[in-house]
Amino acid sequence: MNAMTRLATAVSLVSLMPLAALAGEVEVLHWWTSGGEKRAADTLQKLVEDKGHTWKDFAVAGGGGEAAMTVLKTRAVSGNPPAAAQIKGPDIQEWGALGLLANLDSVAEQNQWDTLLPKQVAEIMTYEGHYVAVPVNVHRVNWLWINPEVFAKAGATPPTTLDEFFAAADKLKAAGFIPLAHGGQPWQDGTVFEDLALSILGADAFRKAFVDLDEATLTGDQMVEVFAALNKLRGYVDADAAGRDWNIATGLVINGKAGMQLMGDWAKSEWTAAGKVAGKDYQCLAFPGTQGSFAFNIDSLAMFKLGDAENRKAQEDLARTVLEPEFQQFFNQNKGSIPVRLDQDMSSFDACAQKSMADFKEAAGNGGLQPSMAHGMAASSYVQGAVFDVVTNFFNDPQADPKRAAQQLAAAIQAVQ
Ligand code: GAL
């Protein structure tokens, strides 16, 4: 090798050093493990790797995230938390109080997060006024997903009220379809309960029940009506629902075995992954009686304090990437959620995402934005767990009494406060 070649080689190696020197590793804990959700998570991995960093995927299966949170607590207690974890809502305050979360203020200031984000969202991401988490998306929980071909075969009409919902379920059942695709898991039972509660209680009383934890509302006649409706709904779920994962239930509607599913719009990620077109192959409706309300569930990545400078740089690049327009577009188109940036161009999003964004803005203007109780936005994970226990026990007991269940609900919540 002659002198010039040696010099050129040396220069090129040195020029790589600064990039290599700033390349770190981020380990990210999440539970986006269904086919559709993995496609979404992969978009983040690719963008982080494009910045020269190493992505260590810490995916913990189990819809709703209970398993993931158990694993995270074990890692944190052993003094070895991941760089980032899918932590949402009030739980961010609990982790912040432990002093384990990294300060993201510099990234937030450099990238104008205060301007980009809805104020209500920005507040959820801060602990004692400092950013410690970055919001990834805005999911809506109060959706009803319909297979129009199945509805047509059964002569059923897409419902706008609870009475019409049960009438459609009767027609689907009479025609031999599974009326409501469901997975018998506490968080899914809790999601169905939440939709019925929002429909029957209405926005204000829903907030009084699950944000204020008001005993009179939790034990009132309307809450008894919610449990009575849940009792009725049980009759439209098939016998094999126990333990079924949410995305398997979504598959029953996609494949025409079931007529509808009550689920947040992560269900859309499965329709998208199956190549189905919103508004054509499936319909997305506000759950009957909850029109004008938007039960929000914001996925966020909380960042843990790291010792290593290169990994801290990688962690800050991860936080920066999540709020960039490119990620917000590709992740949310695959995840079924809508972007969390107020200025995001929505023109390339499908009909259901357009409807979700329009409903989000309408609800933001009329007090209809509701933090989802079933998805950890309304109250602590302890309150959420107490609700799930009462609701799941009720849902699995055909003899259960709605009035007694409402009293048990209030007592269980009181016991964990
Ligand atoms: C929610 C989470 C969503 C989705 C869903 C099903 O709690 O926010 O992103 O993963 O669980 O697992």
Side-chain angles (χ1 to χ4, degrees):
M1 185 189 290
N2 65 33
M4 281 310 290
T5 309
R6 278 201 301 275
L7 178 62
T9 306
V11 166
S12 59
L13 281 176
V14 167
S15 66
L16 279 178
M17 277 308 284
L19 187 63
L22 290 177
E25 176 187 273
V26 279
E27 183 182 24
V28 182
L29 177 139
H30 62 88
W31 60 90
W32 298 321
T33 54
S34 75
E37 291 195 314
K38 186 179 181 325
R39 280 159 51 111
D42 287 353
T43 63
L44 181 54
Q45 174 171 348
K46 183 182 177 316
L47 289 170
V48 168
E49 289 173 343
D50 286 351
K51 286 187 164 74
H53 302 302
T54 304
W55 169 283
K56 193 173 174 190
D57 201 42
F58 187 9
V60 178
E66 188 174 352
M69 290 300 101
T70 302
V71 172
L72 177 62
K73 286 169 187 165
T74 307
R75 283 283 298 271
V77 163
S78 63
N80 176 32
Q86 185 182 349
I87 300 174
K88 307 189 293 179
D91 272 3
I92 294 173
Q93 303 308 307
E94 292 196 33
W95 284 97
L98 295 174
L100 296 174
L101 300 183
N103 182 319
L104 297 175
D105 286 345
S106 59
V107 178
E109 280 149 27
Q110 286 160 18
N111 298 280
Q112 292 89 39
W113 287 7
D114 284 345
T115 314
L116 286 181
L117 299 173
K119 192 170 181 316
Q120 196 170 346
V121 173
E123 282 166 4
I124 296 170
M125 301 302 137
T126 58
Y127 176 71
E128 294 185 339
H130 298 290
Y131 279 100
V132 292
V134 60
V136 175
N137 59 10
V138 179
H139 271 305
R140 183 185 198 176
V141 178
N142 59 310
W143 281 115
L144 179 66
W145 305 92
I146 277 177
N147 182 322
E149 207 175 290
V150 172
F151 263 63
K153 285 176 184 169
T157 309
T160 59
T161 66
L162 264 188
D163 288 344
E164 290 175 5
F165 170 76
F166 287 117
D170 283 330
K171 286 205 183 281
L172 290 163
K173 193 167 189 173
F177 296 102
I178 296 171
L180 184 66
H182 181 64
Q185 296 170 344
W187 74 271
Q188 293 190 64
D189 297 343
T191 299
V192 169
F193 173 76
E194 168 168 306
D195 284 336
L196 290 171
L198 189 53
S199 180
I200 293 169
L201 293 177
D204 294 342
F206 180 90
R207 245 195 310 265
K208 273 193 83 169
F210 298 113
V211 178
D212 305 338
L213 306 179
D214 173 65
E215 186 177 5
T217 311
L218 288 166
T219 57
D221 291 346
Q222 283 191 315
M223 191 61 78
V224 175
E225 216 184 302
V226 174
F227 279 104
L230 187 61
N231 189 39
K232 186 174 180 181
L233 183 142
R234 187 196 301 111
Y236 299 104
V237 168
D238 66 298
D240 298 329
R244 180 187 287 143
D245 286 334
W246 66 270
N247 53 310
I248 306 302
T250 308
L252 291 172
V253 189
I254 293 173
N255 299 327
K257 291 187 176 58
M260 46 189 176
Q261 182 184 22
L262 261 175
M263 189 47 71
D265 46 22
W266 45 92
K268 191 156 88 84
S269 73
E270 298 303 299
W271 288 93
T272 303
K276 303 298 182 184
V277 177
K280 174 175 163 288
D281 301 316
Y282 63 99
Q283 289 177 7
C284 50
L285 311 176
F287 180 70
T290 70
Q291 295 88 338
S293 284
F294 190 109
F296 66 83
N297 167 34
I298 295 168
D299 283 317
S300 44
L301 293 177
M303 305 290 169
F304 284 84
K305 285 174 181 168
L306 298 175
D308 180 287
E310 291 168 0
N311 292 347
R312 267 207 311 277
K313 174 69 173 68
Q315 184 183 58
E316 290 193 351
D317 279 352
L318 168 65
R320 186 176 294 111
T321 302
V322 165
L323 279 180
E324 287 171 350
E326 184 185 19
F327 168 76
Q328 283 293 312
Q329 175 173 333
F330 293 120
F331 178 84
N332 286 296
Q333 284 177 330
N334 284 289
K335 186 75 170 67
S337 37
I338 56 175
V340 69
R341 284 180 66 123
L342 287 168
D343 65 347
Q344 187 77 23
D345 173 8
M346 288 293 292
S347 56
S348 62
F349 283 78
D350 68 25
C352 286
Q354 300 285 352
K355 176 170 173 50
S356 188
M357 183 60 88
D359 287 356
F360 180 76
K361 288 178 176 170
E362 180 202 347
N366 71 9
L369 277 187
Q370 306 294 332
S372 168
M373 172 279 300
H375 292 277
M377 305 303 293
S380 72
S381 55
Y382 307 106
V383 167
Q384 182 197 52
V387 174
F388 285 178
D389 288 347
V390 171
V391 167
T392 282
N393 288 332
F394 177 86
F395 196 59
N396 291 314
D397 174 6
Q399 309 308 318
D401 170 54
K403 188 169 177 58
R404 181 167 150 65
Q407 288 159 356
Q408 287 172 329
L409 180 67
I413 290 173
Q414 180 61 39
V416 295
Q417 286 188 65

